[in-house]
Amino acid sequence: MSTLNELPVVVIGAGPVGLAAAAHLHERGLPFTVLEAGDTAGAAVRQWRHVRVFSPWRYNIDPAARRILDEAGWIAPDLEALPTGAELVADYLQPLAELPQLKPHLRYGARVEAISRLGMDRLRTAGRDTTPFLIRLADGDEVLAQAVIDASGTWGTPNVLGASGLPARGEGDVAAYLEHALPDVLGADRDAFAGRHTLVVGAGHSAANTLLSLAELAADEPGTEVTWAIRTTSPVRTYGGGDADALPARGALGSRLREHVDAGRIRLLTGFSVHALTPTDGRVGVVVRHADGSEESVTVDRIVAATGFRPDHSIAAELRLDLDPVMGATRALAPLIDPNEHSCGTVPPHGVDELAHPEPDYYAVGMKSYGRAPTFLMATGYEQVRSVVAALAGDWDAARDVQLDLPETGVCNSNPAASATGDSCCGPSPTADPAARGLATGISGGLLSAPLGLITLDAAPAGGQTGGCCGG
């Protein structure tokens, strides 16, 4: 058997953060293998290829990846332009994955089923830190590794539609009528929504993106109706940060939403908590439960559950993880990313120390590292993997010199009213205009303009609903 340091560092996932980890491992001269469940690099990004992100290219390109791309004569895109998911793959991720420094180390169709230590379960301690990781794939193949960087993300594990973190009654029975975040409303999925009544549940960026696409569709397709439902009592969190946001595209998104709120093309229901779902003559009956226990119902043709994502740590069940019981992130990282206190732009720099588990040399990075927090940005993931790879190379000075240059943001936490200090996560609370506590972002951006109408149903449970991520 090879000695431990001759084995590769295994990276799980060939998305933006996984490929960035590979670039840093190459620069550090460490052997590595990237295991990707999909058939191509950026497989999850391709699922939202039609969506334009709100951050310009300069925040979406990892520095190590840029260096090796430049060496190969890569022509960089306009760093101030806003890419779509398709452009992110075609102009960056695919060229990166095709580089000779990375391509031989990528394995596609390699879905990880479980991670353990060779010959050891979670109980055994003696010799654990000198024993290789054993990574079992869904096809039965096994891979040994000196370390594991899990950048598998959360795209495959969306949050449920029901309240209280539990599926709504009958949620499984209406799967044929249910879409998760960011369907291609104006493209491949157009026929599923044209001329139909769609209910979008969620208060984050991915919900807003879908709503505004539906509004555009409704202008062209008679009979198309759009209802937007949020659990909170006010849509204030869904308005953008406007001029307070250093990303102009992101700041303008919610501003446009706010301008359209009175036009009535989208009906907004507040205090809306999904309790039960029932197939009804080719449609779906949705039972709503309010804070006072009363119920009412609405019948729709389609439902989009834009309620965010959660991590799946089951593949690491035989590893020693120390997870925060609320966030599902490491205990050290959780308070730094808590969406009750932080937005994407107020998360402090963090690296290997905050990402470490009791299991030596296992690190979850990127979206997965944030657990259920929706405050992740790609730039944050790039700094994470730079720090982790430096530590694996033994360069602890570099590993702990964590720095993060994020834009000032008007995009705020999941429950602005709950701030312990009374200040907005975007800075001091405004004295008059609460709209600066802006949009809780989803996976990506690019909102179209559409008018919104507001109807208050009832009071919602305190704390409300978290949005999606901020640019995974």
CSV table of all heavy atoms in Angstrom, one decimal, residues 19 22 138 154 243 281 422:
chain,number,residue,atom,x,y,z
A,19,LEU,N,-13.3,22.8,-8.3
A,19,LEU,CA,-12.3,23.1,-9.3
A,19,LEU,C,-11.3,24.1,-8.8
A,19,LEU,O,-10.1,24.0,-9.1
A,19,LEU,CB,-12.9,23.5,-10.6
A,19,LEU,CG,-13.7,22.5,-11.4
A,19,LEU,CD1,-14.2,23.1,-12.7
A,19,LEU,CD2,-12.8,21.3,-11.7
A,22,ALA,N,-8.9,22.1,-6.8
A,22,ALA,CA,-8.0,21.4,-7.6
A,22,ALA,C,-6.9,22.3,-8.1
A,22,ALA,O,-5.7,21.9,-8.2
A,22,ALA,CB,-8.8,20.8,-8.8
A,138,ALA,N,-20.8,5.0,-5.7
A,138,ALA,CA,-22.1,4.3,-5.8
A,138,ALA,C,-22.0,3.0,-6.7
A,138,ALA,O,-22.8,2.1,-6.6
A,138,ALA,CB,-23.1,5.2,-6.5
A,154,THR,N,-25.1,21.7,-2.0
A,154,THR,CA,-26.4,21.4,-1.4
A,154,THR,C,-27.5,21.3,-2.5
A,154,THR,O,-28.7,21.2,-2.1
A,154,THR,CB,-26.8,22.4,-0.4
A,154,THR,OG1,-26.8,23.7,-1.0
A,154,THR,CG2,-25.8,22.4,0.8
A,243,ASP,N,-29.2,51.6,-3.3
A,243,ASP,CA,-27.9,52.3,-3.4
A,243,ASP,C,-26.9,51.8,-2.4
A,243,ASP,O,-25.7,52.1,-2.4
A,243,ASP,CB,-28.1,53.8,-3.3
A,243,ASP,CG,-28.8,54.3,-4.5
A,243,ASP,OD1,-28.9,53.7,-5.6
A,243,ASP,OD2,-29.4,55.4,-4.4
A,281,ASP,N,-58.2,17.1,-9.2
A,281,ASP,CA,-58.6,17.2,-10.6
A,281,ASP,C,-57.5,17.8,-11.5
A,281,ASP,O,-57.8,18.8,-12.2
A,281,ASP,CB,-59.9,18.0,-10.7
A,281,ASP,CG,-61.1,17.4,-10.0
A,281,ASP,OD1,-61.2,16.2,-10.0
A,281,ASP,OD2,-61.9,18.2,-9.4
A,422,GLY,N,-30.0,45.7,17.3
A,422,GLY,CA,-30.9,46.7,16.7
A,422,GLY,C,-30.4,47.3,15.5
A,422,GLY,O,-31.1,48.1,14.8
